[in-house]
Amino acid sequence: MSNRQALELIADLVPQGSRVLDLGCGDGALLALLRDRRGCRGYGVELDDAKVLAGVQRGVNVLQRNLEEGLSLFEDNSFDVVLQLDTLQNLRNTEDMLRETARVGRIGIVSFPNFAHWPNRLRVLQGRMPVTKVLPYQWYDTPNIRVGTFADFEILARKNGLHILDAFGLHEGEVVKHWPNLLASTAVFRFEHR
Amino acid sequence: MSMQGHVTPQKMHFSEALPLRSGATLRDYTLVYETYGRLNAERSNAVLVCHALNASHHVAGTHADNPKSVGWWDNLIGPGKPLDTDRFFVICINNPGSCFGSTGPMHVNPDTGRLYGSDFPVVTVEDWVNAQARVLDRLGIRQLAAVMGGSLGGMQALSWTLQHPERMRHALVIASAPSLSAQNIAFNEVARRAIVTDPDFHGGHFYAHGTVPKRGLRVARMIGHITYLSDDSMEAKFGRELRSAELAYSTQEIEFQIESYLRYQGDKFSEYFDANTYLLITRALDYFDPARAFGGDLSRALARAQAKFLVVSFTTDWRFSPARSREIVKGLLDNRLDVSYAEIDAPHGHDAFLLDDARYHGIVRACYDNIAREIGA
């Protein structure tokens, strides 16, 4: 999700002037973009020392925390939008995290690598785990410990009472509207809790 | 080596009495302070640094008469350092009640003509902040670019944001806590009992007896020092290392290097630190609790704050643990204040805030770079 085009696509989903929380905010690029273009204020959460520093250097609010430890710092519905881009697949407690995301924000936006993207399917048919631009790791060293598909997320969201407002795929910075479970390397969902 | 060069302490006398939290007043007092860098024409680049328990106004540089007298935060403050004195005007004030030059227990009580001793009024973090604000008034500084402190100094920085929210833009609260825990107070109490029960203490009027309660001070420092270090760093530095090759099988002699180190620290401390000051400052630590007036609700207490915050903690600090810093962060988040928080994975315990760590100093530098941009320094 470091791709500039993808960042701007995501930023377009965030209403002007929103209070935002970016979980796994990386170097704070999206927060800075939301601040500068859309007048948003908020915080990022990041674990990595170098990324926390990069965020502070950009002048955005960064809180150094391990997301596995939950979101107890944040009150219910304290944000307009909670973003969780390209991090859900790295967390052990994916479902808890999704519930926490829904708890602290009115609207959630998540993105993650779509394991059902066709080159991944081909690779699995050949008997090997996929290694692609979006999933660049070998099976034995990947931080993506929760691989799922576009279709899988719809089921998990429904199970947790989340109402999906928007769902589309992304591939090489372009929106994929048709057959995203097959044609998109990244899945994006915008949802609210009922 | 300090890059700040020589610095000369200055004095400011106040004839107007300072009302204290306790209801007492401090009248006719003098504060000692040091400044570094230049105040700009707009008077917008001033940074107040608050000192902790054992430290003084001498935060950076060296005194001309003593090349070894490097300031206690010299690794962080100076030309080109994270708090860059080429861009900022830095002030550090010795708090009243201290023993490094500002009016304290070793000075004459104008009411009695005798040394204050234990009659020196109990001072709080809030009193110190008010005393510091008066120095800034005299220096013509209406608004500080930032207030920064570590440990007890961090409590002063936090208190500044509540007592004078409009007089500051940023607060840097490092290795601090919103109040002491029961365990913290317990350690303070052991230190105080060691001093007060020393036969040389004479109820705090030991100056008149020509004695110094050094035994009490030594033990106080030893116990304090244990709480500044992490288990791991003590293990790495000393382990079970012996002073001599053979065991002496003595209950009184030093056997282990850690004993030797603690005794050395205690001895050194008892030579220069005042016993009444130690009692006063540990009490100020105990009393600090801005949430108390709000039924223990820190979020409500912090509602007055307007500053942008940087909160830093160290993972192995068990004296003021990261959880205590996160309480501050939570209170700031509840008030929708700007805050960044760094939890530095350093092995050195509470002492880490005084040490040079690239991640820690990098964050502080980035914060001051942002402040400099904001004020055009």
Side-chain angles (χ1 to χ4, degrees):
Chain A
M1 199 48 62
S2 48
N3 181 313
R4 189 76 188 171
Q5 236 172 325
L7 278 190
E8 302 206 355
L9 270 166
I10 298 286
D12 286 345
L13 298 174
V14 178
Q16 197 80 28
S18 297
R19 258 178 72 71
V20 296
L21 177 64
D22 187 356
L23 302 173
C25 68
D27 62 9
L30 180 62
L31 280 169
L33 184 71
L34 288 169
R35 173 194 61 198
D36 300 340
R37 297 266 190 86
R38 302 188 80 82
C40 295
R41 288 188 57 195
Y43 309 90
V45 177
E46 178 58 54
L47 181 60
D48 181 78
D49 289 325
K51 290 175 180 165
V52 170
L53 175 62
V56 173
Q57 284 169 335
R58 281 180 200 272
V60 298
N61 295 318
V62 188
L63 309 171
Q64 189 163 29
R65 289 295 288 145
N66 186 347
L67 288 174
E68 298 282 16
E69 287 166 36
L71 299 180
S72 56
L73 275 177
F74 308 104
E75 294 291 323
D76 295 359
N77 294 312
S78 47
F79 294 93
D80 298 319
V81 179
V82 181
L83 299 135
Q84 182 137 46
L85 308 181
D86 227 14
T87 48
L88 214 49
Q89 75 275 10
N90 304 140
L91 301 174
R92 270 172 62 86
N93 301 312
T94 313
E95 189 175 10
D96 287 348
M97 199 61 228
L98 189 62
R99 277 198 215 116
E100 279 286 271
T101 301
R103 176 183 68 80
V104 302
R106 294 215 319 269
I107 289 175
I109 299 175
V110 303
S111 75
F112 57 91
N114 173 29
F115 201 73
H117 187 210
W118 68 268
N120 299 343
R121 298 187 192 198
L122 261 186
R123 184 83 174 153
V124 172
L125 276 179
Q126 289 164 353
R128 299 288 306 278
M129 283 297 277
V131 178
T132 63
K133 224 191 267 180
V134 173
L135 292 167
Y137 304 94
Q138 293 292 341
W139 68 276
Y140 49 82
D141 66 4
T142 180
N144 301 321
I145 56 175
R146 297 282 184 242
V147 285
T149 70
F150 194 98
D152 286 334
F153 188 86
E154 289 177 319
I155 295 165
L156 181 64
R158 208 176 309 135
K159 177 174 174 249
N160 284 283
L162 304 178
H163 173 59
I164 292 172
L165 301 168
D166 245 329
F168 57 88
L170 277 182
H171 188 63
E172 308 206 319
E174 300 290 334
V175 173
V176 181
K177 289 249 168 157
H178 301 293
W179 296 334
N181 199 38
L182 184 65
L183 299 178
S185 52
T186 298
V188 182
F189 287 85
R190 190 166 71 91
F191 57 84
E192 62 184 6
H193 56 103
R194 293 182 213 269
Chain B
M1 248 284 282
S2 169
M3 289 150 75
Q4 184 60 55
H6 294 323
V7 59
T8 309
Q10 299 166 72
K11 282 186 176 189
M12 203 178 268
H13 181 258
F14 296 82
S15 45
E16 192 195 344
L18 182 72
L20 304 172
R21 271 274 169 117
S22 65
T25 54
L26 186 62
R27 68 181 189 90
D28 245 346
Y29 63 98
T30 299
L31 297 180
V32 179
Y33 65 100
E34 285 182 8
T35 69
Y36 318 83
R38 276 222 183 110
L39 187 61
N40 62 12
E42 302 81 34
R43 297 171 185 249
S44 64
N45 67 336
V47 173
L48 177 70
V49 176
C50 305
H51 71 75
L53 209 174
N54 309 317
S56 71
H57 50 279
H58 183 43
V59 68
T62 53
H63 292 148
D65 55 356
N66 182 4
K68 281 188 180 166
S69 64
V70 179
W72 56 269
W73 227 349
D74 190 82
N75 60 18
L76 194 77
I77 301 166
K81 302 262 175 82
L83 172 47
D84 187 351
T85 51
D86 287 337
R87 294 195 286 185
F88 291 99
F89 177 66
V90 177
I91 310 152
C92 188
I93 303 164
N94 189 214
N95 290 321
S98 177
C99 55
F100 294 108
S102 290
T103 299
M106 298 187 299
H107 292 99
V108 174
N109 180 350
D111 293 336
T112 63
R114 287 173 35 215
L115 299 183
Y116 273 111
S118 51
D119 295 335
F120 194 88
V122 167
V123 279
T124 63
V125 167
E126 289 81 1
D127 297 330
W128 287 335
V129 166
N130 287 333
Q132 292 159 7
R134 284 187 171 186
V135 174
L136 300 177
D137 291 342
R138 290 259 193 101
L139 294 173
I141 296 162
R142 236 168 39 82
Q143 191 187 49
L144 290 158
V147 183
M148 171 169 76
S151 190
L152 174 58
M155 290 175 170
Q156 293 161 60
L158 184 61
S159 204
W160 258 95
T161 69
L162 309 179
Q163 292 176 252
H164 304 285
E166 68 297 335
R167 286 193 75 168
M168 60 192 293
R169 302 176 73 96
H170 291 259
L172 291 85
V173 180
I174 299 167
S176 196
S179 63
L180 292 197
S181 65
Q183 188 194 47
N184 294 147
I185 296 172
F187 277 118
N188 280 350
E189 178 59 6
V190 174
R192 281 192 295 264
R193 292 314 293 167
I195 290 170
V196 169
T197 57
D198 185 325
D200 285 334
F201 184 64
H202 296 290
H205 293 290
F206 52 88
Y207 319 108
H209 290 78
T211 60
V212 175
K214 284 193 179 177
R215 282 165 288 183
L217 274 168
R218 284 190 196 111
V219 175
R221 177 58 168 178
M222 285 166 83
I223 190 132
H225 212 91
I226 295 168
T227 69
Y228 303 149
L229 303 178
S230 69
D231 191 14
D232 282 350
S233 64
M234 222 186 243
E235 197 58 38
K237 210 165 169 183
F238 305 103
R240 295 184 51 82
E241 211 179 307
L242 296 170
R243 199 150 80 147
S244 338
E246 296 298 321
L247 292 177
Y249 292 101
S250 157
T251 56
Q252 319 254 321
E253 295 305 309
I254 291 175
E255 288 277 43
F256 297 93
Q257 286 293 6
I258 181 64
E259 297 173 286
S260 166
Y261 174 76
L262 285 178
R263 287 200 199 183
Y264 171 75
Q265 291 293 336
D267 287 346
K268 213 171 60 168
F269 190 69
S270 70
E271 294 295 326
Y272 70 84
F273 210 86
D274 179 67
N276 284 311
T277 291
Y278 204 86
L279 302 181
L280 284 167
I281 298 189
T282 54
R283 244 335 179 207
L285 271 160
D286 292 357
Y287 284 139
F288 182 67
D289 183 10
R292 187 166 176 269
F294 297 88
D297 187 338
L298 184 63
S299 297
R300 278 176 56 214
L302 296 182
R304 283 180 57 78
Q306 297 172 17
K308 296 179 182 174
F309 284 77
L310 175 68
V311 178
V312 179
S313 73
F314 300 91
T315 50
T316 55
D317 183 351
W318 56 279
R319 183 186 172 94
F320 289 158
S321 70
R324 304 309 314 278
S325 282
R326 290 200 294 268
E327 286 177 38
I328 299 173
V329 171
K330 171 86 172 68
L332 299 171
L333 290 172
D334 287 347
N335 286 293
R336 304 187 166 193
L337 288 158
D338 281 314
V339 52
S340 280
Y341 170 60
E343 203 166 291
I344 308 290
D345 188 14
H348 311 101
H350 188 59
D351 257 358
F353 89 89
L354 295 168
L355 303 175
D356 189 352
D357 177 290
R359 292 161 299 176
Y360 159 41
H361 280 192
I363 291 277
V364 172
R365 182 185 292 276
C367 182
Y368 279 110
D369 284 345
N370 292 337
I371 300 171
R373 257 196 302 278
E374 204 178 286
I375 61 171

